[in-house]
């Protein structure tokens, strides 16, 4: 016979105002197996918990029901307190008589009756509960970061500072992401390369950080604390360890191609580094354009290479890395503009996008920082900046706000006006979103000190007339259309998820939203965690954001990683599924329905190694206890510990009685 | 190939000559336009508001007749039209029927037979491009219109609303340009190819129409065109007529002749220019055509 | 519009009537001005399309009734085709016209129409002109 204790909480007046808690406590004395009941003002308080421990010990209780708030609030609290008193945590249950009763039923008589039922029900459940032990697993004390932009680098530096080994896997041939493409950053107008390259170099010199560039994650096996990643190092056609970065191969290469780093407007060679400060400073041959790979001729780079590190036969390399935690920091792309024919992007050379303007303004860019029209190289006298291109546009773009465009458009007007003193800068905006520290002041500076003209209204169309761009916009404050003749138009295109973000998410087993931004575990309280244990997020891959936020998230993700890896073993809640191997017919409905990939097939063999049968097997390390397998299983062969059918039916029978 | 054809009010009366040119061209290209045995006015514009079911009943009737005609022995199961406004109305009616069940039921309750939204409506340009093929058209061209700089004018109704009518990309269309190139013309890109001519506000606000038409003509002149080719009889009327009637709006602008696309097509396919009537043109294109040597 | 997404009927009778006729939910409009920017007649109008939408939102029916921009609208559909929120100011303009014509507030009389126009203009202009502009 069980020895159950029942505690009914007043929760101040939160519960006692609409439930007669004294009566509930009294009535429970009559329930089978109940040896102690008490009502108390605040069970979760220190004295409340102290009382709980005391009563458990004194009365040798083997199970406890606390009729109070939602388990979401305090199940952990009471389970920890009970454990301290020597009771197994899973012999403690809560009856929710607050959120599900006192807060929704104003009639005290009704509320009390319902509370009696709810409490009785949990008593029946807890009597059937098993003692469960937390699952322990080993932890590999290494971390891996997917993405070598500012968020990824920050996370790597913070993790490495603790002495933990970190691997960065970066898709392009250098660290830097998009931030290294920027000219200056708001709100300080710091030169982007000047603040970022020291971090890139720091990462490359840190003995705890291993960097793979021109590499991608192909597959993920394992679970939190025990991940194994398969990484493909694409062939650079250069032997990385021997390259000195002298750059002669690039100089002598005869094949010019448009430079994607310069947004296609500057040229580079088939063998190149994306920019002079690349980390690692090792060039890569673009096999699609290289003369040798296309025709078999040339090989000039090989001839001039001092250390003889050109290797045309080089193949992709597959590498495996074992880590305990992963941070995804893959960054963003900008919205393709093919649906925005009204702005003439692609048709008119002098209509460019935000990133192109950054490269133009950058002192290290293809114009050495001079603002020039792409069509004829002349300095534009009037530039129109159009905000919200693609963002806040349900019909052709995305409905969300891209967050950074108001700030960088203001920045663009300032950079333009600083370089072209007589130039006119016009901005068409819908709203100004400048919520960060010193952001509003920055925008006002653009208007009041640097003379940018702001017009509240969107642009309907841009077309060309005799070498000028006619911008047909509106000023909604005066309610009139407004046409401006411009020499150049800069479109503030929306930040979007990276192309292929969905594939990576599927490889890693993390969720993403309809825009393919990766989903955080809780939008307010858990912004850098995913619902997949051991995998964290940082930066724009989670949603549009600026540099300070990306850096903050990088550090936040690092702290989560270090918290995870600082433990000797990982403990997990034992609310996991378990298969009754005798009954299992291996239909694998459970395996197919499991969203976490926690179920695999297992072969049961006899002593001689002959196969008897296959059954499903649950990996308790990965299982999140969602219960879908239990619902799917036709023979109820797979059950959820802590929520066994017998326990649930005990609850149902109690209510039905 | 026999394709059911819907003339609409204008092509059948005031603009009969434009239709004749189309019929000549069809014959030259090896297909014939079979006028629907029974048809009514499409309404000349589809109501923009939700509140008018009657406005859909007229075009729905046309489409039902077309379906009947199209399923007759020897006929293609399609419907073609020469008028941009008719095209717009019919396509939008189809869209409404296929996407709005309420409208489908309400309008069908006003008709004798139910319309299912399944008539395939093609503009004459689509017939030329997709059913005949511009290659075949090129073969049949007897008079290459070399040296003629044509500004292809789409107006509003062929291009908008894109998801309902969508003849082509609203900012970089190619269907009309493709035809003109096939005929040997030099196509001139101009900024106002999809901007409104003023349309039917000609009835009550001739000033407005003059303003709009001026914008179109002026941008074609600035782009270096010799002539503007139109696809809608009303655009033809507005762009052409206003240059004379509302000369004050046009100031010193050189007069630009306006020609309908079927007229240009038939000339290229060998129709005797003397058999084409330019009587309703305020600015006759004949002098230009003579100058270029097509007469 | 209420939180559950159901559209609340406007308090002003005239505004409610225009909304019903047009089938438009004016609360979607966030006043970006793209319609006014693309409207070929906006420079001439006393109340260009985005202002008409705003006046609908503010239920300024007296001012709306006095406005004449609906008769300058050429029905070119640029406003609705470029609106980022799937609004159609053209439909609201049409509803304003319809309401005037149906309630006998339209001054245009057939005798006032230019004879030349009626004789020479393409039929479609007359048909649609009558439907849209003349009762």
């Amino acid at each position: 016979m069980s020895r159950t204790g029942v505690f009914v909480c007043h929760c101040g007046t939160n519960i006692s105002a609409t439930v007669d808690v004294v009566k509930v406590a009294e009535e429970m004395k009559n329930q089978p197996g109940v040896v102690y009941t008490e009502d108390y003002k605040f069970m979760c308080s220190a004295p409340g918990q102290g009382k709980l421990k005391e009563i458990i010990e004194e009365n040798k209780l083997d199970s406890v029901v606390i009729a109070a708030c939602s388990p979401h609030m305090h199940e952990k609290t009471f389970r920890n307190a009970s454990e301290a008193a020597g009771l197994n945590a899973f012999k403690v249950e809560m009856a929710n008589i607050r959120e599900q009763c006192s807060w929704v039923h104003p009639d005290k008589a009704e509320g009390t009756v319902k509370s009696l039922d709810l409490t009785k029900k949990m008593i029946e459940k807890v009597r059937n509960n098993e003692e469960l032990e937390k699952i322990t697993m080993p932890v590999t004390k290494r971390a891996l970061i997917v993405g070598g932009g500012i968020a990824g680098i920050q996370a790597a530096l913070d993790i490495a500072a603790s002495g933990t080994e970190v691997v960065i896997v970066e898709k392009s041939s250098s660290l830097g992401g998009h931030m290294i493409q920027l000219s200056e950053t708001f709100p300080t107008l710091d030169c982007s390369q000047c603040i970022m390259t020291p971090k890139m170099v720091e990462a490359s010199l840190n003995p705890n950080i291993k960097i793979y560039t021109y590499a991608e994650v192909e597959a993920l096996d394992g679970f939190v604390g025990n991940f194994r990643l398969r990484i493909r190092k694409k062939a650079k056609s250069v032997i990385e360890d021997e390259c000195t970065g002298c750059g002669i191969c690039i100089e002598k290469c005869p094949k010019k191609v448009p430079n994607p780093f310069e947004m296609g407007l500057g040229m580079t060679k088939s063998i190149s580094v994306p920019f002079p400060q690349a980390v690692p400073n090792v060039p890569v041959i673009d096999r699609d354009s290289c003369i040798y790979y296309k025709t078999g001729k040339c090989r000039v780079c090989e001839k001039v290479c001092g250390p003889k590190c050109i290797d045309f036969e080089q193949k992709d390399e597959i590498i495996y890395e074992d880590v305990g935690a992963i941070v995804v920091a893959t960054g963003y792309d900008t919205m393709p503009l093919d649906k925005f024919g009204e702005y003439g992007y692609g048709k008119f050379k002098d209509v460019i996008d935000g990133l192109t303007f950054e490269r133009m303004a950058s002192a290290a860019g293809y114009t050495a920082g001079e603002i020039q029209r792409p069509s004829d190289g002349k300095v534009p006298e009037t530039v129109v900046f159009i905000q919200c291109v693609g963002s806040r546009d349900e019909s052709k773009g995305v409905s969300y706000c891209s967050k950074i465009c108001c700030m960088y458009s203001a920045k663009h007007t300032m950079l333009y006006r600083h370089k072209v003193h007589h130039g006119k800068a016009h901005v068409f905006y819908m709203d100004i979103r400048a919520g960060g520290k010193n952001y509003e002041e920055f925008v006002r500076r653009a208007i009041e000190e640097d003379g940018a003209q702001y017009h509240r209204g969107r642009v309907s169309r841009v077309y060309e007339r005799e070498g000028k761009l006619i911008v047909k916009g509106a000023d909604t404050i005066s309610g009139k259309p407004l046409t401006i003749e411009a020499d150049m138009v800069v479109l503030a295109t929306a930040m979007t998820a990276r192309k292929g973000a969905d594939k990576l998410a599927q490889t890693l087993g993390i969720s993403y939203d309809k825009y393919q931004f990766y989903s955080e575990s809780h939008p307010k309280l858990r912004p850098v965690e995913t619902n997949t244990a051991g995998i964290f997020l940082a930066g724009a891959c989670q949603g549009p954001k600026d540099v300070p936020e990306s850096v903050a998230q990088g550090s936040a993700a690092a702290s989560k990683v270090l918290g995870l890896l600082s433990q000797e073993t990982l403990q997990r809640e034992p609310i996991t599924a378990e298969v009754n191997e005798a009954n299992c017919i291996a239909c694998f409905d459970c395996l197919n329905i499991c969203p976490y990939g926690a179920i695999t097939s297992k072969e049961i063999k006899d002593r001689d190694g002959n196969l008897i049968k296959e059954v499903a097997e649950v990996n308790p390390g990965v299982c999140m206890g969602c219960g879908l397998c239990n619902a799917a299983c036709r023979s109820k062969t797979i059950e959820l510990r802590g929520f066994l059918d017998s326990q649930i039916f005990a609850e149902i029978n109690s209510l039905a009685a | 190939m026999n394709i059911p054809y819907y003339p609409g009010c204008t092509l059948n009366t005031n603009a009969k000559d434009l239709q004749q040119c189309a019929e000549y061209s069809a014959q030259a290209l090896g297909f014939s336009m079979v006028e629907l045995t029974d048809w009514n006015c499409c309404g000349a514009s589809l109501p923009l508001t939700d509140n008018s079911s009657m406005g859909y009943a007229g075009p729905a009737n046309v489409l039902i007749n077309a379906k009947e005609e199209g399923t007759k022995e020897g006929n293609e199961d399609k419907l073609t039209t020469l008028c941009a406004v008719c095209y717009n109305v019919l396509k939008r009616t189809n869209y409404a029927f296929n996407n709005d069940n309420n409208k489908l039921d309400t309008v069908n309750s006003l008709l004798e037979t139910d319309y299912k939204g399944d008539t395939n409506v093609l503009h004459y340009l689509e017939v030329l491009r997709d059913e005949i093929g511009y290659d075949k058209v090129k073969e049949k061209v007897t008079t290459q219109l070399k040296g003629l700089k044509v500004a292809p004018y789409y107006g509003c109704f062929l291009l908008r609303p894109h998801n309902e009518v969508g003849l082509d990309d609203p900012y970089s269309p190619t269907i009309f340009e493709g035809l003109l190139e096939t005929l040997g013309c030099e196509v001139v890109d101009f900024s106002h190819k999809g901007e409104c001519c003023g349309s039917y506000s000609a009835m009550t606000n001739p000033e407005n129409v003059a303003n709009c038409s001026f914008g179109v003509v002026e941008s074609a002149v600035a782009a270096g065109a010799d002539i503007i080719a139109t696809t809608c009889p009303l655009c033809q009327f507005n762009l052409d007529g206003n240059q004379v009637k509302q000369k004050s709006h046009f100031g010193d602008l050189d007069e630009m002749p306006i020609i309908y696309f079927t007229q240009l097509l038939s000339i290229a396919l060998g129709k005797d220019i003397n058999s084409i009537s330019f009587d309703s043109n305020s600015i006759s294109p004949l002098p230009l055509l003579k100058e270029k040597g097509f007469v | 519009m209420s939180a559950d997404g159901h559209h609340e009927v406007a308090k002003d009778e005239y505004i409610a009537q225009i909304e019903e006729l047009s089938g438009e939910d004016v609360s979607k409009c966030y006043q970006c001005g793209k319609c006014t920017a693309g409207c070929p007649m906006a420079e001439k109008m006393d109340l260009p399309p985005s202002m008409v939408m705003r006046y609908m939102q503010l239920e300024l029916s007296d001012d709306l009734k006095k406005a004449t921009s609906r008769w300058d609208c050429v029905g070119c559909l640029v406003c609705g085709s470029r609106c980022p929120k799937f609004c159609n100011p053209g439909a609201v303009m049409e509803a304003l016209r319809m309401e005037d014509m149906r309630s006998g507030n339209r001054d245009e009389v057939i005798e006032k129409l230019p004879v030349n126009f009626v004789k020479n203009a393409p039929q479609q202009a007359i048909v649609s002109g009558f439907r849209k502009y003349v009762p």
Side-chain angles (χ1 to χ4, degrees), chain A residues 478-592:
Chain A
S478 63
K480 291 197 185 324
L482 173 64
T483 303
I484 298 186
E485 274 186 31
D487 299 304
M488 195 162 87
V489 171
V490 182
L491 304 174
T493 33
M495 265 174 131
T496 61
R498 281 273 187 198
K499 203 154 149 242
D502 53 346
K503 296 255 164 13
L504 180 64
Q506 286 157 19
T507 303
L508 298 174
I510 58 176
S511 32
Y512 50 94
D513 65 17
K514 66 180 177 186
Y515 301 113
Q516 295 190 13
F517 285 119
Y518 296 146
S519 302
E520 63 288 325
S521 196
H522 188 278
K524 289 279 215 209
L525 297 179
R526 298 168 73 183
V528 296
E529 297 161 76
T530 64
N531 277 333
T532 308
I535 304 187
F536 305 97
L537 300 173
C541 61
Q542 184 251 354
K545 56 176 62 69
D546 54 25
V547 169
E549 286 172 327
S550 301
V551 171
Q553 281 204 339
S555 293
S559 80
K560 295 288 179 190
V561 166
L562 292 176
L564 180 68
L565 301 183
S566 64
Q567 300 161 65
E568 286 311 313
T569 56
L570 283 182
Q571 279 207 322
R572 295 201 65 222
E573 293 272 298
I575 312 292
T576 55
E578 194 177 12
V579 177
N580 178 340
E581 293 184 352
N583 274 1
C584 180
I585 55 160
C587 75
F588 294 126
D589 276 356
C590 55
L591 186 152
N592 289 327

Side-chain angles (χ1 to χ4, degrees), chain A residues 342 392 394 456 458 460, chain C residues 30-32 82 84-85:
Chain A
E342 65 255 45
R392 303 185 65 189
E394 277 171 36
R456 202 265 165 199
R458 251 175 147 149
S460 181
Chain C
Y30 56 14
Q31 290 292 298
C32 73
R82 291 189 196 152
K85 292 281 280 171

Side-chain angles (χ1 to χ4, degrees), chain A residues 72-245:
Chain A
H72 265 261
M73 290 294 295
H74 282 304
E75 187 176 74
K76 247 196 166 54
T77 316
F78 296 128
R79 282 188 171 175
N80 287 343
S82 307
E83 256 189 334
L87 181 62
N88 183 287
F90 297 92
K91 297 290 278 182
V92 176
E93 289 282 3
M94 286 185 73
N96 184 345
I97 62 168
R98 190 182 75 173
E99 280 87 337
Q100 288 179 359
C101 189
S102 75
W103 272 359
V104 295
H105 298 297
D107 181 307
K108 196 159 184 175
E110 280 182 357
T112 308
V113 167
K114 184 167 168 179
S115 297
L116 289 169
D117 285 341
L118 291 175
T119 315
K120 274 187 219 164
K121 164 173 90 76
M122 290 324 285
I123 295 172
E124 287 308 305
K125 174 160 199 284
V126 85
R127 282 182 347 124
N128 284 282
N129 274 9
E130 302 170 316
E131 290 188 356
L132 300 172
E133 292 306 324
K134 290 212 172 76
I135 302 166
T136 56
M137 294 172 317
V139 180
T140 309
K141 289 183 187 294
R142 294 173 84 240
L144 185 137
I145 313 220
V146 187
I150 187 65
I153 292 175
Q154 186 62 47
L157 291 172
D158 288 345
I159 296 173
S162 74
T164 307
E165 260 182 61
V166 190
V167 176
I168 300 180
V169 178
E170 163 58 40
K171 192 170 171 177
S172 73
S173 60
S174 164
L175 297 182
H178 277 302
M179 187 178 164
I180 202 73
Q181 280 183 299
L182 306 180
S183 167
E184 275 94 339
T185 54
F186 56 79
T188 51
L189 292 185
D190 276 312
C191 152
S192 185
Q193 272 113 356
C194 308
I195 56 175
M196 189 160 191
T197 43
K199 285 210 185 243
M200 287 160 56
V201 173
E202 206 190 318
S204 69
L205 294 177
N206 190 312
N208 289 327
I209 301 181
K210 196 181 349 176
I211 301 175
Y212 296 125
T213 54
Y214 213 53
E216 285 183 61
V217 170
E218 263 192 351
L220 174 72
D221 257 326
F223 50 94
V224 59
N226 301 274
F227 292 115
R228 167 167 279 222
L229 292 109
R230 188 173 85 223
I231 298 159
R232 175 177 292 271
K233 268 187 71 170
K234 296 180 291 193
K236 296 184 179 185
S237 309
V238 171
I239 303 172
E240 190 160 343
D241 295 331
E242 294 175 20
C243 173
T244 58

Side-chain angles (χ1 to χ4, degrees), chain A residues 393-414:
Chain A
D393 187 330
E394 277 171 36
S395 66
K396 288 196 293 229
V398 291
S399 55
Y400 60 80
C401 167
S402 183
K403 202 164 188 187
I404 58 167
C405 323
C406 288
M407 288 306 294
Y408 81 61
S409 293
K411 177 185 77 174
H412 284 174
T413 65
M414 290 160 91

Side-chain angles (χ1 to χ4, degrees), chain A residues 363-375:
Chain A
Y366 77 102
T367 62
E370 266 201 40
I371 310 294
Q372 289 173 4
R373 280 161 46 108
S375 60

